Amino acid sequence: MTSRTARARRPRRTSFVAAGLVAAAAAVSPSSVASASPGPDPVPQLELGRYVGTWHQLAAVPQVFNLSCARDTMAEYRLDERGDVAVHNSCVTWTGELNEIHGTATVNDRQTGAQLHVSFPGVPGQDLRNGPTNYIVTALGPDYSWALVTDPTRTSGFVLSRAVAFDPDTWNHVRAAITEVGQSPCLYLTSPTTGGLSDIAPLCTR
């Protein structure tokens, strides 16, 4: 991440995303929204050691808390001393400032490792390190090159990538994964990245 002369450190409600992206990225707690159908299935096995690292958010279901993000939404994950995941979400705002927040992701599902609770100190409703699952990895690309993340209610959604752009074939795989999890690609908007897409558009139009 390049340094910025102006840094905005206002906490914003993002998720392990990403969110991320990732930065870049937040999920809605399952207690806050009633779900009419069973939650999405996690991937059979998530290896945290391979999943940590830097992710670029290439698309997401819009959330109020990330409207200030104009481009380069990223999530950086690393294993902490307790075996949980330290989260650093960031993005560049419409005024060119760096918006960032730090948190923790705790694995709730020891069988698959793909269902986690993400918390951010000081953010109401998300400040407890332990809590219900609000981050589910539902699809993974080859060699962990991309990931699809949502929550038990399917209210949120994040497309994460190791690279700043996808080729057309990868986008096809991502759209298929979104549909398989019970969401519509039209709910996702593309996320501008330096070196990748520059516009914001419904993913179903790609």
Side-chain angles (χ1 to χ4, degrees):
M1 203 69 173
T2 56
S3 60
R4 303 278 173 178
T5 56
R7 290 177 176 263
R9 296 185 177 273
R10 301 180 303 276
R12 58 185 177 92
R13 291 186 61 195
T14 51
S15 81
F16 176 50
V17 235
L21 26 74
V22 347
V28 176
S29 169
S31 63
S32 63
V33 180
S35 178
S37 61
D41 291 330
V43 295
Q45 188 66 49
L46 179 71
E47 298 179 36
L48 279 183
R50 298 179 65 189
Y51 193 71
V52 295
T54 300
W55 292 97
H56 302 270
Q57 178 183 294
L58 300 193
V61 176
Q63 306 288 332
V64 173
F65 49 78
N66 61 14
L67 293 180
S68 63
C69 294
R71 59 181 172 86
D72 295 331
T73 300
M74 299 172 61
E76 296 179 54
Y77 308 144
R78 62 174 178 80
L79 294 176
D80 67 14
E81 64 281 355
R82 292 177 51 173
D84 293 328
V85 179
V87 178
H88 175 207
N89 289 345
S90 64
C91 72
V92 177
T93 69
W94 297 98
T95 57
E97 297 173 321
L98 180 66
N99 194 351
E100 58 185 350
I101 191 170
H102 294 266
T104 302
T106 303
V107 176
N108 280 348
D109 175 9
R110 293 297 173 181
Q111 181 175 352
T112 70
Q115 300 187 88
L116 306 96
H117 172 73
V118 183
S119 60
F120 296 100
V123 177
Q126 287 186 285
D127 54 350
L128 298 180
R129 189 161 180 146
N130 296 305
T133 294
N134 58 10
Y135 183 101
I136 304 174
V137 181
T138 62
L140 281 170
D143 301 323
Y144 286 57
S145 58
W146 63 267
L148 177 65
V149 177
T150 185
D151 66 90
T153 67
R154 299 180 177 86
T155 305
S156 65
F158 304 90
V159 176
L160 307 178
S161 172
R162 297 299 192 183
V164 296
F166 284 152
D167 57 35
D169 188 54
T170 302
W171 276 121
N172 287 337
H173 287 299
V174 168
R175 283 191 292 269
I178 290 172
T179 300
E180 185 174 347
V181 83
Q183 293 177 306
S184 169
C186 294
L187 295 177
Y188 284 72
L189 298 182
T190 55
S191 303
T193 59
T194 300
L197 294 175
S198 59
D199 62 335
I200 300 174
L203 190 52
C204 59
T205 65
R206 292 286 170 184

